Amino acid sequence: MLQVTDIRENKEKYIQALAKRGIDATSTLEEVLTYDEERRATQAQLDDVLAQSNSYSKEIGKLFQSGEVQKANELKAKTVALKESSKQLNEKMLIAAEKLQELLFTLPNIPNDLVPAGTDENDNEEIFKEGEVPTLHEGALPHWELAKKYDLIDFELGVKVTGAGFPVYKGKGARLQRALITYFLDKNTKAGYTEYQVPLLVNEASGYGTGQLPDKEGQMYHVGVDDLYLIPTSEVPITNLFRGDLLNNSDLPITCTSYTPCFRREAGSYGAHVRGLNRLHQFDKVELVRVEHPDNSYKALDGMVEHVQDILRELKLPYRILRLCGGDLGFTSALTYDFEVFSTAQDRWLEISSVSNFETFQANRLKLRFKDSDGKNKLVHTLNGSSLALPRVLAGILENYQTADGIRIPEVLVPYCGFDMID
């Protein structure tokens, strides 16, 4: 959530920055400032009324003590009127504050200066590419056909039990999935991240805290009876562990990793590009979350990018890194790098990780602050990244490592799998 004080001081800057996202925020920001002015003016009036009421109360006590009962009763009558006035002013202030909050919730984060202009994924900027795309044998198959051929994943059984987008992993497919999860967690914990196991359901406050609500309400599975949401990523519960905290400078950075299943409705997704593991309603993901001092957050972002690169180098998968343009940037993000693995059998790039800096956007919603060395309470910066999302990594391994005799296992995963070939 954007900070009203910053909008008040830099309205034109905010208008220009949000234009990079393709948003004309002029009228919304003006409305924000109108409600903010009304809230502050009403608060000033309320403070005056309360101060006058307190002054009268003290005076009434003195008058009763001195026996001036008539004057005391006259002031008491005035305090009754002041109480009614304060009640009305308080209601007016709360309404203005509520409308202000609603407007702020609709505004996305301000893009970092590095974010390129653009309207959609076609305008994202490729900044790095590495790895050799393998030449596959004649008759090479896409991963959904490989999964069926080697009995690794049963998409039809998932439809039978739940519906489309809920696959069932079997045999070596399940073991490879488990191996990837353990490998990712081991890499993360060795890099200094603390492992967490977190709830898969969160309350509404958690959804608002990290920015999934109200922006992505239609993409989240909602348990109506209990008013809880299935998590779209473990970023939500992990980051909310620190909601409302006032940290010490020495507490930073906080580095967390977690494996969870993730749930997304993916409403409106259809076509050939969502076949197999390309897009699911339930999928596994290992996540990184960092809580950082603002001065260090972009150095931390670079470190997260290097960490994901190291994983992909060990898996020996061809990949590229994109800097997302304003039109493709997530609602909460100030700067995002997407990692994509090349799917040789599909002849297309598959997104497998997003690494983002949210700056103070989430922290402002979470009221997550730290006491800086100057003694002032300030908002932290929060960051997160996939390390990694499993479905498309698995798809990339199945397709890029296939041979005429079977599917080889990346060398780094063999100790985790207990086998080096799927045949």
Side-chain angles (χ1 to χ4, degrees):
M1 186 168 65
L2 303 181
Q3 299 178 64
V4 183
T5 52
D6 289 345
I7 295 173
R8 200 159 54 230
E9 295 169 5
N10 302 289
K11 186 184 78 169
E12 292 305 318
K13 175 186 172 185
Y14 274 52
I15 290 171
Q16 292 175 15
L18 290 171
K20 191 182 280 189
R21 288 180 172 270
I23 297 172
D24 182 358
T26 305
S27 60
T28 302
L29 292 175
E30 287 175 351
E31 200 172 356
V32 163
L33 295 179
T34 297
Y35 281 119
D36 178 51
E37 179 59 33
E38 181 180 336
R39 178 185 61 82
R40 290 189 297 132
T42 307
Q43 179 70 68
Q45 289 178 275
L46 179 59
D47 290 343
D48 288 342
V49 169
L50 293 174
Q52 186 67 61
S53 181
N54 289 336
S55 176
Y56 282 171
S57 296
K58 293 177 182 178
E59 186 66 23
I60 288 168
K62 293 177 182 178
L63 289 171
F64 274 125
Q65 286 178 356
S66 63
E68 298 179 75
V69 176
Q70 183 176 348
K71 286 184 178 181
N73 286 331
E74 288 172 359
L75 283 183
K76 281 182 71 176
K78 290 182 179 180
T79 60
V80 172
L82 288 173
K83 285 180 181 178
E84 180 59 31
S85 178
S86 68
K87 180 182 176 183
Q88 293 175 0
L89 287 169
N90 190 59
E91 290 175 354
K92 182 180 178 182
M93 185 187 68
L94 290 175
I95 290 171
E98 185 177 336
K99 289 181 177 179
L100 173 63
Q101 188 89 331
E102 288 174 358
L103 282 171
L104 289 173
F105 277 141
T106 68
L107 290 168
N109 202 356
I110 299 299
N112 182 275
D113 290 340
L114 289 174
V115 173
T119 56
D120 56 32
E121 61 185 16
N122 297 312
D123 296 319
N124 292 336
E125 181 182 13
E126 182 182 297
I127 63 169
F128 190 82
K129 184 188 288 186
E130 187 173 63
E132 185 177 344
V133 175
T135 301
L136 299 182
H137 63 283
E138 187 176 348
L141 301 171
H143 70 269
W144 54 85
E145 293 187 25
L146 291 168
K148 186 174 183 178
K149 178 179 179 179
Y150 294 105
D151 199 23
L152 304 174
I153 307 168
D154 196 319
F155 295 99
E156 287 73 24
L157 274 181
V159 172
K160 176 182 179 181
V161 173
T162 307
F166 295 88
V168 175
Y169 298 84
K170 302 168 62 179
K172 286 187 174 180
R175 289 170 65 185
L176 179 55
Q177 181 90 336
R178 176 159 52 91
L180 280 165
I181 293 167
T182 307
Y183 163 64
F184 292 155
L185 287 172
D186 282 354
K187 285 289 291 184
N188 297 346
T189 54
K190 286 176 183 176
Y193 290 86
T194 300
E195 184 177 349
Y196 286 78
Q197 287 190 356
V198 291
L200 304 183
L201 288 158
V202 294
N203 55 32
E204 186 178 65
S206 294
Y208 273 92
T210 45
Q212 278 68 33
L213 297 176
D215 178 56
K216 290 186 172 57
E217 188 167 11
Q219 294 292 352
M220 296 174 72
Y221 284 99
H222 184 219
V223 183
V225 174
D226 301 295
D227 196 21
L228 296 173
Y229 294 85
L230 283 165
I231 62 169
T233 165
S234 58
E235 167 206 340
V236 181
I238 292 177
T239 313
N240 274 278
L241 296 175
F242 310 101
R243 187 173 74 228
D245 287 358
L246 176 60
L247 305 170
N248 294 315
N249 205 339
S250 58
D251 295 328
L252 302 175
I254 296 172
T255 58
C256 314
T257 187
S258 180
Y259 153 69
T260 63
C262 303
F263 305 87
R264 299 181 188 178
R265 293 186 62 241
E266 297 289 1
S269 296
Y270 57 90
H273 68 287
V274 303
R275 289 193 67 178
L277 297 172
N278 288 348
R279 185 151 301 174
L280 302 174
H281 295 306
Q282 178 181 324
F283 60 95
D284 292 326
K285 184 152 69 90
V286 176
E287 194 80 355
L288 302 174
V289 172
R290 296 182 73 100
V291 179
E292 290 279 351
H293 189 290
D295 293 346
N296 301 328
S297 69
Y298 277 95
K299 182 179 179 181
L301 181 67
D302 291 341
M304 293 170 75
V305 168
E306 291 172 7
H307 180 74
V308 175
Q309 282 184 278
D310 188 47
I311 291 174
L312 290 170
R313 284 170 180 149
E314 288 191 354
L315 290 173
K316 297 180 180 177
L317 289 171
Y319 72 94
R320 67 177 182 175
I321 304 174
L322 305 176
R323 184 185 287 125
L324 297 194
C325 71
D328 201 32
L329 195 64
F331 184 84
T332 55
S333 178
L335 179 63
T336 294
Y337 293 103
D338 268 8
F339 283 77
E340 295 183 339
V341 162
F342 192 74
S343 165
T344 309
Q346 297 180 69
D347 193 28
R348 59 189 290 256
W349 292 96
L350 302 175
E351 180 197 331
I352 47 87
S353 176
S354 287
V355 181
S356 304
N357 190 343
F358 306 117
E359 296 186 359
T360 61
F361 192 83
Q362 289 182 333
N364 192 30
R365 289 178 173 228
L366 295 159
K367 305 306 176 198
L368 174 51
R369 300 160 298 151
F370 74 105
K371 188 173 289 294
D372 206 352
S373 54
D374 59 8
K376 295 181 180 179
N377 296 341
K378 300 176 182 178
L379 293 170
V380 300
H381 281 192
T382 60
L383 303 89
N384 91 288
S386 311
S387 177
L388 291 163
L390 273 80
R392 293 174 184 175
V393 172
L394 184 58
I397 290 172
L398 296 180
E399 294 183 5
N400 289 323
Y401 276 84
Q402 65 178 302
T403 71
D405 300 319
I407 303 168
R408 293 183 295 108
I409 300 299
E411 185 178 351
V412 71
L413 294 179
V414 172
Y416 292 93
C417 289
F419 54 87
D420 60 7
M421 193 79 172
I422 296 173
D423 51 21

